[in-house]
């Protein structure tokens, strides 16, 4: 029978569809036809596959060859179908038993010499294959560790098409020589695409955050340090406003280090997004620490929320999934790009519609905004160093829309550092390790309280649930409700104050938020002093 079939995976965002790759040989003039909505890179696989098969020592069938990708209505893109196409052709030519190929999913690009190169999105592709019930997967050798993260799937890593033919034909497997000249392995080029992280400000996500970034290095800023701790414990969004050099960027850079390590499911979600984006660090197939993304203020809307030509690619909001998205100099960002963040902030995902299809990316991140009070950065209520006209200050501050700021739970003014604070030789503030332990304990309390619900952090709990199932101490919310009546808080703002109060209660070990917890939450929300200590350690 001059027919064979095997399987591969077409990725749409981080979701995959198993595609059946069929090869049919018929008598006639030698030709190679590829059907099934392939894109340009997939259409070019005809030449890559032919050269790879010949250079691997197999004979190319001199017949009319038709390769179909089913379902034909799903657009296919990328070079990850090469391995499946080559195997199906060899099965139709009876070089390989077609029955062996039917239940195997193959992912990989072929070089002209037959070497198997890795492609982006191996992890989500294998996850899709496992969800479809497939148990055997063939991937490039250097991506085998990433594919092995999926339980219940047998993974075969091959370095060349020659090795795959030998395994499937039950022949001795040849050894492929490695490049031992000290150069980077050229096959790893497909795992990390140069330049893809430049517009998003991605930092290294393969290891824990830089140990040189310790929270104790931040001088003063008790209110801002408390806000960072509360943000990490409850997953609350944070807005830092203050003059240049006050420590806003330092605080944001140290936030990922106090976040708890990712769980197994969270790690798979984050790794899948980075694998699709081509940002997965070689040698570190599983990202188990919170990612940190700090795009430049010139980033476009596509760089922030995702997009691009053809099938949309993940943007900064997805690359910071389960981590921190830091927008420094926020008023300098495009206003339309900032307003585009409102939907993922509420939904936890972003949906991008393009002519080539609709893509859904996860986008559950902790957003940190940082801004100067005015264009020169010296405006303050306590001194008159600023030379900006009032109209310029108003116009500058109005670049951040009210609906966006209403979704931010914590708003803190970062004061200018004094000479005394900077040159003092006294004890430093609490270290990252100390704060991280307190944050982890608070997260454990909230997880225990929210057991049996779809939520894990206080920031995720809807306001109606907080008001109906988890009550504060009687009378604790009176001041917050009076702020609602005076128009200081919106209805959404009142719910966010209650969420922050629950986080403060978790940090200090209270069973329910009391008046002090709510007062601190109000101060962090409105910036108006409420007469409570700002350091969490002083409340315990």
């Amino acid at each position: 029978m001059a027919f064979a079939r095997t399987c591969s995976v077409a990725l749409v965002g981080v979701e995959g569809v198993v595609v059946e790759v069929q090869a049919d040989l018929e008598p006639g003039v030698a030709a190679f036809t590829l059907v099934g909505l392939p894109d340009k890179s997939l259409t070019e696989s005809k030449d890559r596959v032919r050269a790879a098969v010949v250079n691997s020592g197999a004979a190319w069938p001199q017949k009319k060859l038709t390769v179909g990708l089913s379902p034909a209505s799903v657009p296919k893109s990328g070079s990850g179908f090469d391995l499946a196409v080559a195997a199906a052709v060899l099965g139709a030519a009876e070089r390989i038993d077609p029955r062996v190929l039917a239940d195997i999913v193959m992912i990989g690009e072929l070089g002209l010499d037959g070497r198997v190169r890795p492609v982006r999105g191996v992890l989500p592709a294998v996850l899709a294959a496992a969800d479809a019930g497939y148990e055997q997967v063939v991937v490039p050798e250097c991506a085998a560790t990433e594919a092995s993260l999926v339980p219940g799937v047998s993974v075969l890593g091959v370095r060349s098409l020659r090795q795959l033919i030998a395994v499937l034909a039950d022949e001795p497997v040849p050894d492929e020589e490695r490049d031992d000249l000290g150069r980077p392995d050229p096959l790893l080029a497909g795992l990390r695409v140069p330049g893809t992280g430049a517009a998003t400000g991605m930092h290294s996500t393969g290891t824990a955050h830089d140990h040189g970034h310790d929270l104790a290095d931040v001088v003063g800023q008790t209110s801002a340090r408390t806000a960072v701790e509360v943000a990490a414990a409850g997953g609350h969004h944070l807005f830092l406003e203050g003059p240049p050099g006050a420590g806003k960027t330092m605080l944001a850079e140290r936030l990922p280090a106090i976040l708890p390590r990712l769980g197994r499911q969270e790690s798979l979600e984050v790794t899948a997004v980075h694998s699709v984006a081509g940002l997965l660090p070689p040698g570190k197939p599983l990202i188990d620490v919170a990612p940190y993304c700090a795009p430049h203020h010139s980033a476009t809307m596509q760089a922030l929320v995702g997009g691009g030509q053809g099938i949309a690619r993940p943007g900064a909001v997805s690359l910071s999934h389960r981590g921190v998205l830091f927008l420094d100099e926020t008023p300098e960002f495009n206003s339309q790009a900032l307003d585009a963040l409102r939907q993922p902030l509420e939904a936890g995902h972003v949906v991008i519609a393009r002519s080539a299809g609709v893509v859904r990316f996860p986008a559950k991140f902790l957003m940190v905004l940082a801004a100067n009070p005015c264009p020169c950065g010296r405006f303050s209520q306590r001194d008159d160093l600023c030379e900006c006209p009032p109209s310029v200050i108003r116009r500058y501050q109005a670049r951040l829309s009210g609906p966006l700021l209403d979704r931010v739970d914590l708003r803190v003014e970062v004061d200018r550092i004094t000479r005394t604070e900077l040159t003092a030789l006294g004890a430093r503030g609490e270290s990252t390790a100390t704060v991280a332990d307190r944050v982890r304990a608070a997260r454990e309390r909230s997880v225990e309280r929210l057991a049996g619900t779809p939520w894990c952090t206080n920031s995720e709990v809807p306001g109606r649930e907080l008001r109906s199932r988890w009550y504060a101490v009687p009378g604790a919310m009176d001041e917050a409700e009076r702020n609602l009546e005076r128009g200081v808080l919106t209805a959404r703002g009142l719910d966010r104050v209650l969420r922050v109060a629950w986080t403060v209660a978790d940090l200090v070990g209270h069973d329910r938020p009391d008046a002090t917890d709510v007062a601190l939450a109000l101060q962090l929300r409105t910036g108006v002093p409420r007469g409570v200590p700002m350091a969490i350690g002083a409340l315990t």
Side-chain angles (χ1 to χ4, degrees):
M1 180 180 66
F3 176 84
R5 61 185 177 88
T6 188
C7 296
S8 190
V9 178
L11 286 178
V12 181
V14 293
E15 300 174 352
V17 178
V18 175
V19 173
E20 187 175 80
V21 181
Q22 305 167 345
D24 177 71
L25 287 174
E26 299 177 3
V29 179
F32 190 169
T33 304
L34 183 63
V35 297
L37 287 184
D39 71 344
K40 179 65 174 177
S41 61
L42 183 50
T43 302
E44 293 174 348
S45 69
K46 296 188 293 185
D47 299 318
R48 291 195 300 270
V49 169
R50 181 187 292 110
V53 169
V54 173
N55 290 327
S56 297
W60 183 260
Q62 298 300 317
K63 295 182 180 180
K64 181 181 178 181
L65 171 61
T66 303
V67 174
L69 308 176
S70 178
S73 58
V74 176
K76 290 87 177 176
S77 61
S79 56
F81 292 87
D82 289 2
L83 200 59
V85 171
V89 171
L90 292 172
E94 298 184 350
R95 176 63 178 85
I96 303 173
D97 187 351
R99 294 171 296 181
V100 177
L101 302 173
D103 295 325
I104 302 178
V105 175
M106 301 187 183
I107 305 162
E109 175 186 333
L110 285 175
L112 299 184
D113 56 355
R115 289 184 297 173
V116 181
R117 294 180 173 273
V119 293
R120 298 190 300 271
V122 169
L123 178 59
V126 177
L127 285 170
D131 291 340
Y134 290 87
E135 299 178 353
Q136 292 181 302
V137 177
V138 178
V139 298
E141 183 183 57
C142 48
T145 306
E146 177 184 350
S148 300
L149 297 174
V150 182
V153 176
S154 175
V155 178
L156 172 63
V158 294
R159 193 171 181 85
S160 67
L161 180 60
R162 189 181 297 106
Q163 287 184 340
L164 177 62
I165 295 172
V167 171
L168 297 179
D170 197 18
E171 299 172 354
V173 179
D175 293 330
E176 296 291 343
E177 296 183 0
R178 296 176 178 268
D179 186 356
D180 296 328
L181 300 179
R183 297 189 297 264
D185 191 339
L187 294 183
L188 296 178
L191 285 178
R192 188 176 180 90
V193 180
T196 51
T200 56
M202 281 300 302
H203 287 201
S204 175
T205 54
T207 59
H209 211 61
D210 186 2
H211 294 290
H213 289 174
D214 196 299
L215 202 57
D217 298 334
V218 180
V219 177
Q221 309 299 0
T222 303
S223 299
R225 289 170 58 96
T226 300
V228 167
E229 182 176 347
V230 172
H236 305 286
H237 304 305
L238 173 62
F239 177 36
L240 300 172
E241 185 179 28
K248 302 186 295 294
T249 302
M250 289 181 66
L251 288 164
E253 289 178 341
R254 284 151 180 77
L255 177 55
I258 65 176
L259 289 174
R261 297 186 78 89
L262 303 179
R264 177 71 178 184
Q265 184 60 38
E266 295 173 336
S267 296
L268 290 176
E269 293 175 5
V270 174
T271 304
V273 174
H274 286 74
S275 179
V276 169
L279 291 171
L280 195 61
K284 182 68 175 179
L286 183 67
I287 298 176
D288 57 357
V289 295
Y292 176 80
C293 190
H296 191 260
H297 63 257
S298 62
T300 62
M301 184 186 299
Q302 289 77 15
L304 283 179
V305 301
Q309 298 293 330
I311 299 295
R313 299 284 299 278
V317 296
S318 298
L319 296 174
S320 58
H321 178 60
R322 303 290 184 183
V324 177
L325 174 65
F326 177 48
L327 302 181
D328 198 7
E329 305 292 347
T330 309
E332 303 296 339
F333 279 81
N334 181 276
S335 59
Q336 293 182 339
L338 289 177
D339 287 337
L341 299 176
R342 286 151 56 177
Q343 186 262 343
L345 283 174
E346 290 290 335
H349 62 267
V350 58
V351 178
I352 304 169
R354 294 290 186 269
S355 60
V358 179
V359 177
R360 182 180 184 273
F361 291 114
K364 188 173 294 185
F365 55 92
L366 196 164
M367 182 178 68
V368 180
L369 307 178
N372 297 324
C374 67
C376 75
R378 293 179 293 180
F379 175 74
S380 175
Q381 300 290 344
R382 290 184 291 272
D383 51 48
D384 56 354
L385 299 176
C386 177
E387 299 178 355
C388 301
S391 60
V392 174
I393 297 176
R394 286 195 301 269
R395 186 162 56 248
Y396 182 81
Q397 295 178 346
R399 293 179 183 178
L400 299 181
S401 66
L404 176 64
L405 290 180
D406 199 38
R407 288 167 168 80
V408 178
D409 299 347
L410 311 172
R411 306 176 189 174
V412 179
E413 183 176 348
V414 183
D415 298 325
R416 184 181 292 106
I417 300 298
T418 64
R419 176 183 177 182
T420 303
E421 291 175 328
L422 192 61
T423 59
L425 301 177
R428 301 193 306 171
E430 291 181 313
S431 66
T432 293
T434 301
V435 177
D437 290 340
R438 202 157 52 222
V439 168
R440 183 170 58 253
R443 285 282 185 109
E444 291 173 354
R445 293 190 185 98
S446 63
V447 169
E448 182 180 355
R449 182 175 64 253
L450 300 174
T453 70
W455 314 296
C456 296
T457 59
N458 294 320
S459 63
E460 300 173 352
V461 184
R464 64 180 183 276
E465 297 290 340
L466 286 175
R467 293 190 298 270
S468 61
R469 297 178 59 180
W470 294 286
Y471 303 99
V473 172
M477 293 293 294
D478 290 349
E479 182 64 25
E481 292 168 356
R482 284 194 289 269
N483 277 265
L484 175 65
E485 293 176 351
R486 293 197 297 265
V488 178
L489 292 176
T490 62
R492 180 193 286 128
L494 183 65
D495 289 342
R496 294 185 179 277
V497 167
L498 184 53
R499 293 189 187 110
V500 174
W502 268 108
T503 301
V504 174
D506 289 335
L507 283 168
V508 299
H510 294 166
D511 293 334
R512 291 191 294 170
D514 57 18
T516 303
D517 300 330
V518 175
L520 179 55
L522 272 172
Q523 183 166 334
L524 292 173
R525 172 75 182 181
T526 63
V528 179
R530 306 285 172 170
V532 295
M534 285 303 298
I536 294 295
L539 298 176
T540 55

PDB file of all heavy atoms in Angstrom, residues 357-370:
ATOM      1  N   GLY A 357      -6.768  34.185  12.389  1.00  0.00           N
ATOM      2  CA  GLY A 357      -7.354  33.386  13.455  1.00  0.00           C
ATOM      3  C   GLY A 357      -7.415  34.155  14.755  1.00  0.00           C
ATOM      4  O   GLY A 357      -6.916  35.279  14.871  1.00  0.00           O
ATOM      5  N   VAL A 358      -8.055  33.552  15.742  1.00  0.00           N
ATOM      6  CA  VAL A 358      -8.200  34.130  17.076  1.00  0.00           C
ATOM      7  C   VAL A 358      -7.308  33.354  18.031  1.00  0.00           C
ATOM      8  O   VAL A 358      -7.353  32.116  18.071  1.00  0.00           O
ATOM      9  CB  VAL A 358      -9.663  34.090  17.543  1.00  0.00           C
ATOM     10  CG1 VAL A 358      -9.789  34.666  18.950  1.00  0.00           C
ATOM     11  CG2 VAL A 358     -10.558  34.862  16.581  1.00  0.00           C
ATOM     12  N   VAL A 359      -6.508  34.071  18.792  1.00  0.00           N
ATOM     13  CA  VAL A 359      -5.527  33.455  19.681  1.00  0.00           C
ATOM     14  C   VAL A 359      -5.826  33.897  21.113  1.00  0.00           C
ATOM     15  O   VAL A 359      -6.149  35.064  21.356  1.00  0.00           O
ATOM     16  CB  VAL A 359      -4.085  33.856  19.289  1.00  0.00           C
ATOM     17  CG1 VAL A 359      -3.078  33.269  20.263  1.00  0.00           C
ATOM     18  CG2 VAL A 359      -3.778  33.378  17.884  1.00  0.00           C
ATOM     19  N   ARG A 360      -5.692  32.972  22.038  1.00  0.00           N
ATOM     20  CA  ARG A 360      -5.893  33.266  23.461  1.00  0.00           C
ATOM     21  C   ARG A 360      -4.613  32.937  24.216  1.00  0.00           C
ATOM     22  O   ARG A 360      -4.129  31.808  24.165  1.00  0.00           O
ATOM     23  CB  ARG A 360      -7.052  32.447  24.018  1.00  0.00           C
ATOM     24  CG  ARG A 360      -7.381  32.724  25.487  1.00  0.00           C
ATOM     25  CD  ARG A 360      -8.546  31.840  25.903  1.00  0.00           C
ATOM     26  NE  ARG A 360      -8.990  32.102  27.259  1.00  0.00           N
ATOM     27  CZ  ARG A 360      -8.476  31.538  28.349  1.00  0.00           C
ATOM     28  NH1 ARG A 360      -7.473  30.667  28.221  1.00  0.00           N
ATOM     29  NH2 ARG A 360      -8.942  31.822  29.546  1.00  0.00           N
ATOM     30  N   PHE A 361      -4.069  33.939  24.893  1.00  0.00           N
ATOM     31  CA  PHE A 361      -2.861  33.750  25.684  1.00  0.00           C
ATOM     32  C   PHE A 361      -3.173  33.986  27.158  1.00  0.00           C
ATOM     33  O   PHE A 361      -3.959  34.888  27.491  1.00  0.00           O
ATOM     34  CB  PHE A 361      -1.759  34.732  25.263  1.00  0.00           C
ATOM     35  CG  PHE A 361      -1.179  34.473  23.905  1.00  0.00           C
ATOM     36  CD1 PHE A 361      -1.355  35.379  22.876  1.00  0.00           C
ATOM     37  CD2 PHE A 361      -0.441  33.327  23.649  1.00  0.00           C
ATOM     38  CE1 PHE A 361      -0.809  35.157  21.624  1.00  0.00           C
ATOM     39  CE2 PHE A 361       0.102  33.086  22.416  1.00  0.00           C
ATOM     40  CZ  PHE A 361      -0.082  33.996  21.389  1.00  0.00           C
ATOM     41  N   PRO A 362      -2.565  33.231  28.067  1.00  0.00           N
ATOM     42  CA  PRO A 362      -2.729  33.539  29.496  1.00  0.00           C
ATOM     43  C   PRO A 362      -2.020  34.831  29.846  1.00  0.00           C
ATOM     44  O   PRO A 362      -0.970  35.149  29.291  1.00  0.00           O
ATOM     45  CB  PRO A 362      -2.096  32.322  30.182  1.00  0.00           C
ATOM     46  CG  PRO A 362      -1.094  31.806  29.195  1.00  0.00           C
ATOM     47  CD  PRO A 362      -1.689  32.059  27.841  1.00  0.00           C
ATOM     48  N   ALA A 363      -2.589  35.586  30.763  1.00  0.00           N
ATOM     49  CA  ALA A 363      -1.995  36.875  31.141  1.00  0.00           C
ATOM     50  C   ALA A 363      -2.419  37.234  32.562  1.00  0.00           C
ATOM     51  O   ALA A 363      -3.058  38.257  32.798  1.00  0.00           O
ATOM     52  CB  ALA A 363      -2.409  37.973  30.161  1.00  0.00           C
ATOM     53  N   LYS A 364      -2.069  36.381  33.508  1.00  0.00           N
ATOM     54  CA  LYS A 364      -2.375  36.645  34.907  1.00  0.00           C
ATOM     55  C   LYS A 364      -1.078  37.107  35.574  1.00  0.00           C
ATOM     56  O   LYS A 364      -0.261  36.300  36.011  1.00  0.00           O
ATOM     57  CB  LYS A 364      -2.924  35.386  35.575  1.00  0.00           C
ATOM     58  CG  LYS A 364      -3.463  35.595  36.970  1.00  0.00           C
ATOM     59  CD  LYS A 364      -4.142  34.336  37.491  1.00  0.00           C
ATOM     60  CE  LYS A 364      -5.387  34.025  36.686  1.00  0.00           C
ATOM     61  NZ  LYS A 364      -6.116  32.862  37.260  1.00  0.00           N
ATOM     62  N   PHE A 365      -0.891  38.414  35.635  1.00  0.00           N
ATOM     63  CA  PHE A 365       0.381  38.974  36.071  1.00  0.00           C
ATOM     64  C   PHE A 365       0.160  39.987  37.180  1.00  0.00           C
ATOM     65  O   PHE A 365      -0.965  40.444  37.423  1.00  0.00           O
ATOM     66  CB  PHE A 365       1.102  39.639  34.899  1.00  0.00           C
ATOM     67  CG  PHE A 365       0.261  40.687  34.203  1.00  0.00           C
ATOM     68  CD1 PHE A 365       0.321  42.008  34.590  1.00  0.00           C
ATOM     69  CD2 PHE A 365      -0.578  40.336  33.159  1.00  0.00           C
ATOM     70  CE1 PHE A 365      -0.461  42.970  33.960  1.00  0.00           C
ATOM     71  CE2 PHE A 365      -1.367  41.279  32.523  1.00  0.00           C
ATOM     72  CZ  PHE A 365      -1.311  42.605  32.930  1.00  0.00           C
ATOM     73  N   LEU A 366       1.237  40.328  37.857  1.00  0.00           N
ATOM     74  CA  LEU A 366       1.237  41.385  38.874  1.00  0.00           C
ATOM     75  C   LEU A 366       1.842  42.627  38.225  1.00  0.00           C
ATOM     76  O   LEU A 366       3.015  42.614  37.859  1.00  0.00           O
ATOM     77  CB  LEU A 366       2.045  40.940  40.097  1.00  0.00           C
ATOM     78  CG  LEU A 366       1.883  41.713  41.404  1.00  0.00           C
ATOM     79  CD1 LEU A 366       2.434  40.890  42.572  1.00  0.00           C
ATOM     80  CD2 LEU A 366       2.606  43.054  41.365  1.00  0.00           C
ATOM     81  N   MET A 367       1.042  43.663  38.067  1.00  0.00           N
ATOM     82  CA  MET A 367       1.494  44.865  37.363  1.00  0.00           C
ATOM     83  C   MET A 367       2.040  45.890  38.347  1.00  0.00           C
ATOM     84  O   MET A 367       1.416  46.180  39.374  1.00  0.00           O
ATOM     85  CB  MET A 367       0.339  45.468  36.567  1.00  0.00           C
ATOM     86  CG  MET A 367       0.729  46.700  35.766  1.00  0.00           C
ATOM     87  SD  MET A 367      -0.641  47.367  34.790  1.00  0.00           S
ATOM     88  CE  MET A 367      -1.713  47.976  36.093  1.00  0.00           C
ATOM     89  N   VAL A 368       3.197  46.433  38.031  1.00  0.00           N
ATOM     90  CA  VAL A 368       3.815  47.505  38.818  1.00  0.00           C
ATOM     91  C   VAL A 368       4.008  48.703  37.897  1.00  0.00           C
ATOM     92  O   VAL A 368       4.716  48.605  36.885  1.00  0.00           O
ATOM     93  CB  VAL A 368       5.165  47.066  39.421  1.00  0.00           C
ATOM     94  CG1 VAL A 368       5.774  48.214  40.221  1.00  0.00           C
ATOM     95  CG2 VAL A 368       4.988  45.843  40.311  1.00  0.00           C
ATOM     96  N   LEU A 369       3.372  49.814  38.232  1.00  0.00           N
ATOM     97  CA  LEU A 369       3.524  51.055  37.481  1.00  0.00           C
ATOM     98  C   LEU A 369       4.450  51.988  38.246  1.00  0.00           C
ATOM     99  O   LEU A 369       4.384  52.054  39.485  1.00  0.00           O
ATOM    100  CB  LEU A 369       2.167  51.731  37.271  1.00  0.00           C
ATOM    101  CG  LEU A 369       1.039  50.895  36.651  1.00  0.00           C
ATOM    102  CD1 LEU A 369      -0.230  51.732  36.562  1.00  0.00           C
ATOM    103  CD2 LEU A 369       1.439  50.384  35.282  1.00  0.00           C
ATOM    104  N   ALA A 370       5.285  52.704  37.545  1.00  0.00           N
ATOM    105  CA  ALA A 370       6.169  53.689  38.158  1.00  0.00           C
ATOM    106  C   ALA A 370       6.118  54.964  37.335  1.00  0.00           C
ATOM    107  O   ALA A 370       6.158  54.910  36.101  1.00  0.00           O
ATOM    108  CB  ALA A 370       7.608  53.176  38.248  1.00  0.00           C
TER     109      ALA A 370
END
